[in-house]
Amino acid sequence: MRPRLLSRDAALRLLFPVVTLVASFLLLYPLLVPSGIPFQGDETYYIPWTVATVQRYNLQTWASGKGPSTDMLTIIPTITLVGLRFLVGQEFAVKGYLLLMAWLSGVIPYVSIRSLLTHWRLTLSRLHLELASSVGGLAYLIFFSNQAIVAGSNSFVWNYAFFPILVSSFIIFLDTGKIRELLVFGISSILASPQPFWPFLVAIVGLSYLVFSIIRNHHLSDLAKLAKNSSLAVGVAIVFNAFWIIPILAGYILSAGSNFQLYTTSRLISPPDLDFLSFWNITEVLLLGEGAHYFFWYHPQNYGVLSLPIPLLAVAALVAYRRSPQVILFGAILIMGAFVTSGSNEPFGFLYYLLASGLPYGAGAILRNPTKFVPIVVFSYAFLLGLSIIPASHRIYSQGRIALSIVKGKLLRSPVLQSLSSKIRSMGLPKLILERPTVRIAMRRLVHPMIALALVLLILAPIAYGTILDLQSYTWPRYYPSSIPDRYNSLNSWLVDQPGSYKSMWVPTGGPYDWKPYDVTGFPDLYSPKASVAFTNIYPSPLNSTDHIGRVLSFLGVEYVVYHNDSIGYPNSLFLQSLLGQKDLTIVQSYNDSFKPLDSSQNPLPIDSAAAQFSDASFHTSASGLIRGRVANLTMQYTIPQTLVDQGFHGQFWDGFGIMIHGFPAGTVDLSNRIFFATVARQNETSDTTGSAFFSGIEVAGNYPESSIDLYANFYDGSYRQLTPLFYVARLTLTPDRMTNQFLIFKNDDFGGSVFTQNLSVAPSNNVPSLLASNTTTLSSSAATVTKIDQLSNVEFDVTVYATAPFVLVLAEPYDPLWSASLYGSQLASVPVYGLSDGFVISLTGTLTIKLYYALQGYFIDGGWVSAGGLVASLIVSILVYRRRIRTEVALSSRTVSHIEVPVTNEIVAIERGTD
């Protein structure tokens, strides 16, 4: 007999990882197979993943042109992508990363549930253990809010994926004190740090388990062990994460700028804000679904009657394991998590608001989005649902047999059925099948697996349904792989070739593009090899009110402004007019790219959409086309449906009743991807229910990338609530059929360098209007000249200045009070210059060497050393403990075992037989 390649146990353990990998690939198939890089929104997978990227974004606490940075949080994802790019290249690195994160979000909860079930000995059968862990892992994987599946593996996925192992390792360490579990907890906390919400999640579960353990253990030694182990776990988590905890905490305490001023309780926590972000009520949370709502895109309702087995089976697990306090605890954690996840919704929403508004610094602001607590709910459900399968299937089987025997007895009393039974028996078929013991046993053995499989499908089917809805509506179209146009590479190459230290400004930044018709938040700023400044610093004001915008750009450190009109979400022509009107901006490079729009005239109508109606339309128009980039008017005939007339809607339109028209890409009807909309500007009635409506101000972007759009219309009331479905009106052709994208590079003639000097008069100035109102066009001070700038990093400059009188040294970076200047051992604090930059008042003269430094970097370095020291110390302790355990095992195995003959007595025989 040939030996097996894999043992049965090994094959069983490999089964779930393989199934999870296949499921992840199938769910992400539209993002992984087509050529290009999948990205959208805030996901910046298009940037080059190199070691320089780690240095630029993750190892410095200052992002040039933007302000203080917390990108040290994302160092793990960045290193992962850099490593994958080194192995397989940029495109496959991103796709491999997406697949890896989806796979981990299923495997990690599987391992965690398996560890807890083994630790608590809740199931002794290996097969039952695998089934419970696998069901829980799959439920966690395919949940609709798993960002690894539906949101391009954004930073939240690290929090979501590693939460289960944080919980399991923390609980097992509290109970056993094993160093291995402590190390797993600490390392997992680092991996979860890209979204530092895990302390809140672990705190809820950890404190619940601590209270539970204290109630169950009354011995002083047990309480001392709990106190020691919990303190060790908290200490290890703090030490391991010191690299981000220390600088971020210092940023809040020292009042750094940018995000440290935004993420405060007073700025972000308000009842309307919490009500808006509390998307899910308690019913939706318990059914693992969400109701229809709009947030960036239209979320369809993804739960229904078929979702009811989910809470019912969780209750079944609680009933079946009612004597297990650990299972009851998970039920309590589920309920607690559900109420917290529902946020400001009733019944305890007012308590959530009091908690969020009462916490200091950024802690309360993190609570502004209660949906972040959903991992508690999903993991608790995953644990309970996995446990429910076996007892529920046994219960169904036993009750089914009883019911079947009762029904069978009643049916067999019927004369008709008795006659039919005798005829069937005469055929010999039942005797052939049912009277064979092996067949009957096989059929009985199939019943339990079939019931268990049906229960698994009852759990996973409604969860998968919600996820597939979101994938179809959001993920697959928005993250569809794209390629950055080559023109941006040539623009970047041109910028790199320019001498000196400077920043660029791309106008505009973000929004949809003719080559990517969905929002891309940070593009092209983050794609630029040169540090860039967001154009929102000058738009709409003061760009629209001055012809010397170069002065403002100089204090922002901007030498080159790059205009590109491939954006389809901004008024590009207005931007260009404003830039051309500036007296201190000069065009130094230009490109024109012509292209033919995609022919969408034959795209099929979305007739299966529940949001639109394609027959019995109440609207008609004679218009057949629109001119790109030109404001147009449109006239449409209407007929008010009888259903609206019966409700009192007829006659003259007013604020509480009217028509709205919508333009969508041909073949779609998605309100989150609407090209334009307009309401009635003028009405011409022919009767009380018919007439024509005139719409004005309709415009399709000049570079809209398709040849056609679809026009829809509906009646609405005063709150813009739809009174009717969207009626399809017509498909409009766009002209001309060829377009040109223009790219212009402007040079700022007022640019003075990344560090420059000013006269003392600018020190008290704190507003941009005073800068623009001045008549001077010379930025540098006549009393001092910068002779040399050594930019050692984003956070450190060595500047040499020759001065003949006191002056102000200006650092062309966003103002932040944590910048300081060191001059001959003295520290100089910064002052805001025009509210834009950091200035340092220097009264010494002569040749001066000045060091500029950003304080948070020091805290980051200190935190990094603490984390590194903690990791090394933990590794050393683990090695010592392991070596000690090995020595102990060797010593025990080397002991001589002596066999002692014990005479058999009547007492021993009685014990073996179980008698008294």
Side-chain angles (χ1 to χ4, degrees), residues 445-525:
R445 286 180 176 177
L446 280 175
V447 173
H448 274 114
M450 294 301 293
I451 295 174
L453 179 60
L455 290 174
V456 171
L457 292 177
L458 275 177
I459 293 170
L460 299 182
I463 301 175
Y465 170 74
T467 301
I468 290 173
L469 277 182
D470 284 3
L471 287 170
Q472 291 175 334
S473 303
Y474 178 78
T475 311
W476 291 342
R478 284 166 174 76
Y479 285 89
Y480 191 83
S482 306
S483 298
I484 305 296
D486 288 337
R487 178 55 64 203
Y488 283 96
N489 296 325
S490 60
L491 290 168
N492 286 337
S493 297
W494 189 94
L495 291 172
V496 168
D497 290 340
Q498 307 313 303
S501 176
Y502 65 88
K503 303 180 190 69
S504 60
M505 176 178 286
W506 297 78
V507 180
T509 297
Y513 292 82
D514 55 28
W515 47 270
K516 181 75 175 179
Y518 294 98
D519 281 342
V520 185
T521 309
F523 188 87
D525 282 14

Side-chain angles (χ1 to χ4, degrees), residues 392-652:
S393 63
H394 281 297
R395 185 70 173 175
I396 292 171
Y397 177 74
S398 61
Q399 294 297 318
R401 288 193 65 182
I402 294 172
L404 184 61
S405 63
I406 294 172
V407 172
K408 184 179 178 181
K410 290 182 178 180
L411 291 176
L412 290 178
R413 294 192 190 100
S414 169
V416 176
L417 290 177
Q418 288 180 359
S419 173
L420 180 63
S421 177
S422 62
K423 289 181 180 180
I424 294 176
R425 286 179 181 176
S426 64
M427 297 170 59
L429 186 62
K431 186 176 182 179
L432 179 65
I433 297 177
L434 297 179
E435 293 184 6
R436 288 190 178 183
T438 55
V439 175
R440 295 178 64 184
I441 292 172
M443 291 183 67
R444 283 186 180 181
R445 286 180 176 177
L446 280 175
V447 173
H448 274 114
M450 294 301 293
I451 295 174
L453 179 60
L455 290 174
V456 171
L457 292 177
L458 275 177
I459 293 170
L460 299 182
I463 301 175
Y465 170 74
T467 301
I468 290 173
L469 277 182
D470 284 3
L471 287 170
Q472 291 175 334
S473 303
Y474 178 78
T475 311
W476 291 342
R478 284 166 174 76
Y479 285 89
Y480 191 83
S482 306
S483 298
I484 305 296
D486 288 337
R487 178 55 64 203
Y488 283 96
N489 296 325
S490 60
L491 290 168
N492 286 337
S493 297
W494 189 94
L495 291 172
V496 168
D497 290 340
Q498 307 313 303
S501 176
Y502 65 88
K503 303 180 190 69
S504 60
M505 176 178 286
W506 297 78
V507 180
T509 297
Y513 292 82
D514 55 28
W515 47 270
K516 181 75 175 179
Y518 294 98
D519 281 342
V520 185
T521 309
F523 188 87
D525 282 14
L526 297 176
Y527 192 66
S528 173
K530 288 288 186 178
S532 58
V533 177
F535 86 106
T536 51
N537 284 280
I538 63 169
Y539 173 80
S541 178
L543 180 62
N544 294 340
S545 59
T546 182
D547 55 5
H548 285 92
I549 198 64
R551 299 177 187 175
V552 177
L553 295 175
S554 296
F555 281 89
L556 297 174
V558 175
E559 184 174 12
Y560 295 102
V561 176
V562 185
Y563 166 80
H564 55 105
N565 74 335
D566 56 344
S567 170
I568 57 177
Y570 288 102
N572 297 322
S573 57
L574 295 179
F575 289 158
L576 183 57
Q577 292 176 14
S578 298
L579 292 174
L580 292 174
Q582 302 301 316
K583 297 180 179 179
D584 43 14
L585 297 183
T586 304
I587 297 176
V588 293
Q589 187 61 273
S590 64
Y591 304 94
N592 290 313
D593 295 338
S594 296
F595 68 98
K596 189 175 180 63
L598 178 69
D599 183 8
S600 58
S601 60
Q602 302 302 316
N603 287 5
L605 293 172
I607 56 176
D608 56 345
S609 173
Q613 188 167 325
F614 297 89
S615 60
D616 301 324
S618 300
F619 308 98
H620 301 279
T621 182
S622 58
S624 60
L626 294 173
I627 300 176
R628 303 173 188 276
R630 183 179 299 180
V631 177
N633 303 320
L634 187 143
T635 301
M636 188 170 63
Q637 289 72 43
Y638 68 86
T639 300
I640 301 176
Q642 187 61 41
T643 54
L644 294 187
V645 175
D646 295 341
Q647 298 177 46
F649 295 104
H650 53 84
Q652 187 69 34

Side-chain angles (χ1 to χ4, degrees), residues 360-379:
Y361 300 111
I366 290 178
L367 300 183
R368 68 189 293 258
N369 189 348
T371 58
K372 291 180 181 178
F373 288 102
V374 79
I376 296 177
V377 177
V378 185
F379 184 58

